[in-house]
């Protein structure tokens, strides 16, 4: 997992590290709850493509953070 790297690079304590990990899981649950029914309506292939393009877009936006 990325937790040890996040803790090392950003010098965060275990409480904040747990909060970040928990936020990622809660975010995934919300997206699944929202995009699952939408995928049933408009097709899972379209949702997969949307997910892929969002991943690519946000990855590109994160590149300058290094």
């Amino acid at each position: 997992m990325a937790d040890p790297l996040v803790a090392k690079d950003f010098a965060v304590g275990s409480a904040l590290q747990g909060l970040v990990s928990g936020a990622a899981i809660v975010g995934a649950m919300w997206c699944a709850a929202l995009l699952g029914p939408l995928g049933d309506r408009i097709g899972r292939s379209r949702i997969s493509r949307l997910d892929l393009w969002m991943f690519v877009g946000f990855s590109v936006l994160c590149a300058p953070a290094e």
Side-chain angles (χ1 to χ4, degrees):
M1 298 251 338
D3 287 343
L5 298 174
V6 169
K8 179 183 170 194
D9 288 348
F10 296 105
V12 297
S14 59
L16 187 56
Q17 186 178 353
L19 183 64
V20 169
S21 296
I25 293 169
V26 170
M29 288 172 36
W30 273 99
C31 283
L34 294 173
L35 294 180
L38 186 61
D40 290 339
R41 270 190 234 129
I42 67 170
R44 292 190 176 129
S45 175
R46 288 182 181 173
I47 292 297
S48 273
R49 280 190 298 244
L50 172 67
D51 182 42
L52 173 67
W53 284 112
M54 287 175 58
F55 181 80
V56 168
F58 285 114
S59 295
V60 168
L61 290 174
C62 286
E66 183 64 31

